[in-house]
């Protein structure tokens, strides 16, 4: 069995990597534009999972720095807190908030350490793709369950395990399944792909961790979609072409129940 990495080393490594991505103006670090802020919820909640009125709702944008998510939810009337590990990503939120005269709170912490917030402090938690940056997703779910009020909505998006297992570039036989499903430790690094962030340590979470973990943390799942990025016309090897074969992301709508789920790990798999 591989030695588990020091949790602080993972955070330090990923913080530095995201700060570098901001310096490079990577796509995922770009702030919301005028159109996105005007369209408000339609941009970030195309399925209407949050209803049509966010005014006065306390929204936690978790691991969501970069000046996009937070400002859009604030423009839609939410009372927004943005949490992120990367100071540079949070600085983008503060800049956008200043320019657009939005009230926005930023907190630098890891998504599995939300002890600075009260129990049930938020009505809604929005969690864009980020759970891949930590090995233990159950710890994140436990924290979200603590800060979300009973009946509150938790919308999270994740990289699918199949996508993380699959080669980025096709071989003659197509996109090969290269990584084991049952695995521990960070995934091998990949450069130059929109599917993986350069310099970051990323981890695969199995479906039993992604979905079963939510149930065990005290959530019920109300909906689940795989946003379609498949593009029939796109060239072989492109993001849109690969997405015809493997869904890159899954988006889950969960609701916090009043009932505590068990926190013990339920898996029939014993790492060897
Ligand atoms: C794909 S970005 C999400 C935000 C992006 N601007 C968007 O609109 O989708 C992932 C974010 O997760 C943050 N992150 C990585 N590890 C984290 C951790 N352990 N705790 C909190 N945030 C983390 C990164 O700094 C980055 O801002």
């Amino acid at each position: 069995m591989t030695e588990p990495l020091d949790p602080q080393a993972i955070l330090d490594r990923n913080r530095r990597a995201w700060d570098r991505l901001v310096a490079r103006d990577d796509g995922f670090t770009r702030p919301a534009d005028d159109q996105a802020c005007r369209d408000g919820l339609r941009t970030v909640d195309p399925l209407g999972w949050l209803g049509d009125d966010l005014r006065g709702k306390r929204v936690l944008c978790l691991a969501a720095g970069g000046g996009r998510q937070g400002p859009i939810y604030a423009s839609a009337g939410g009372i927004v807190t943005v949490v992120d590990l990367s100071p540079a990503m949070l600085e983008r939120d503060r800049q956008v908030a200043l320019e657009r005269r939005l009230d926005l709170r930023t907190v630098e912490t890891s998504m599995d350490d939300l002890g600075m917030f009260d129990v049930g402090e938020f009505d809604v938690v929005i969690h864009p793709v980020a759970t891949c940056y930590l090995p233990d997703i159950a710890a994140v779910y436990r924290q979200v369950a603590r800060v979300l009020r009973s009946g509150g909505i938790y919308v999270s998006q994740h990289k699918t395990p199949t996508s993380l297992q699959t080669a980025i570039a096709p071989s003659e036989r197509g996109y090969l399944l290269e990584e084991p499903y049952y695995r521990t430790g960070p995934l091998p690094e990949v450069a130059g792909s929109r599917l993986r962030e350069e310099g970051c340590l990323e981890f695969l979470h199995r479906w039993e961790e992604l979905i079963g973990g939510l149930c065990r943390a005290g959530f019920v799942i109300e909906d689940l979609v795989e946003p379609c990025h498949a593009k029939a016309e796109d060239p072989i090897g492109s993001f849109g072409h690969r997405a015809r074969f493997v869904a890159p992301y899954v988006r889950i709508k969960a609701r916090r129940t009043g009932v505590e789920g068990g926190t013990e790990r339920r898996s029939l798999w014993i790492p060897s």
Side-chain angles (χ1 to χ4, degrees):
M1 188 169 30
T2 41
E3 281 297 305
L5 275 165
D6 167 25
Q8 191 56 47
I10 296 170
L11 298 184
D12 291 344
R13 166 84 172 257
N14 286 343
R15 183 187 300 106
R16 279 197 304 273
W18 274 98
D19 282 351
R20 267 197 312 273
L21 289 168
V22 172
R24 268 204 248 156
D25 200 29
D26 178 84
F28 286 120
T29 72
R30 302 221 180 105
D33 59 17
D34 289 342
Q35 183 70 40
C37 283
R38 252 197 317 274
D39 287 355
L41 280 187
R42 242 186 312 151
T43 316
V44 280
D45 182 34
L47 298 167
W49 284 355
L50 301 177
D52 48 20
D53 192 2
L54 205 63
R55 280 174 301 174
K57 298 250 174 72
R58 300 158 303 166
V59 181
L60 173 62
C61 293
L62 185 58
R68 180 176 156 73
Q69 307 275 339
I72 291 177
Y73 286 102
S75 300
I79 303 165
V80 173
T81 302
V82 182
V83 155
D84 205 282
L85 184 66
S86 151
M89 286 295 264
L90 290 173
E91 183 51 31
R92 292 229 147 150
D93 289 280
R94 287 190 289 269
Q95 273 169 13
V96 175
L98 199 67
E99 285 160 20
R100 296 187 181 276
R101 296 166 189 249
L102 295 167
D103 210 1
L104 200 84
R105 171 168 64 151
T106 56
V107 178
E108 187 184 318
T109 187
S110 177
M111 60 189 135
D112 60 353
D113 178 11
L114 305 179
M116 67 290 292
F117 301 122
D118 289 338
V119 171
E121 181 167 336
F122 298 99
D123 301 300
V124 175
V125 175
I126 303 295
H127 199 177
V129 175
T131 47
C132 53
Y133 306 118
L134 283 178
D136 183 9
I137 195 171
V140 179
Y141 286 161
R142 278 196 298 273
Q143 293 287 309
V144 176
R146 195 185 74 79
V147 301
L148 188 59
R149 71 162 167 83
S150 177
I153 294 179
Y154 176 31
V155 175
S156 61
Q157 188 153 315
H158 312 262
K159 296 186 182 182
T160 64
T162 317
S163 182
L164 290 172
Q165 284 180 271
T166 306
I168 299 293
S171 72
E172 280 172 5
R173 294 165 53 220
Y175 298 93
L176 299 182
L177 203 58
E178 287 186 333
E179 283 299 315
Y181 187 56
Y182 293 93
R183 67 187 315 292
T184 52
L187 290 152
E189 278 205 60
V190 173
S193 167
R194 169 176 166 187
L195 291 151
R196 301 282 305 282
E197 285 68 50
E198 251 173 86
C200 287
L201 292 175
E202 293 187 67
F203 302 84
L204 177 153
H205 300 116
R206 301 185 305 280
W207 288 112
E208 64 179 338
E209 296 170 301
L210 287 166
I211 307 295
L214 270 175
C215 303
R216 290 191 287 273
F219 296 93
V220 287
I221 293 160
E222 293 192 347
D223 207 347
L224 184 155
V225 293
E226 295 165 290
C228 182
H229 294 276
K231 298 263 166 50
E233 311 304 325
D234 279 10
I236 292 174
S238 64
F239 178 79
H241 181 265
R242 184 180 183 273
R244 290 175 62 199
F245 302 87
V246 187
Y249 309 113
V250 59
R251 189 174 170 88
I252 306 167
K253 178 189 182 192
R255 193 176 294 273
R256 178 78 174 101
T257 64
V259 183
E260 290 303 320
T263 50
E264 117 203 24
R265 182 152 176 257
R266 307 250 170 84
S267 174
L268 300 177
W269 175 56
I270 297 155
S272 57

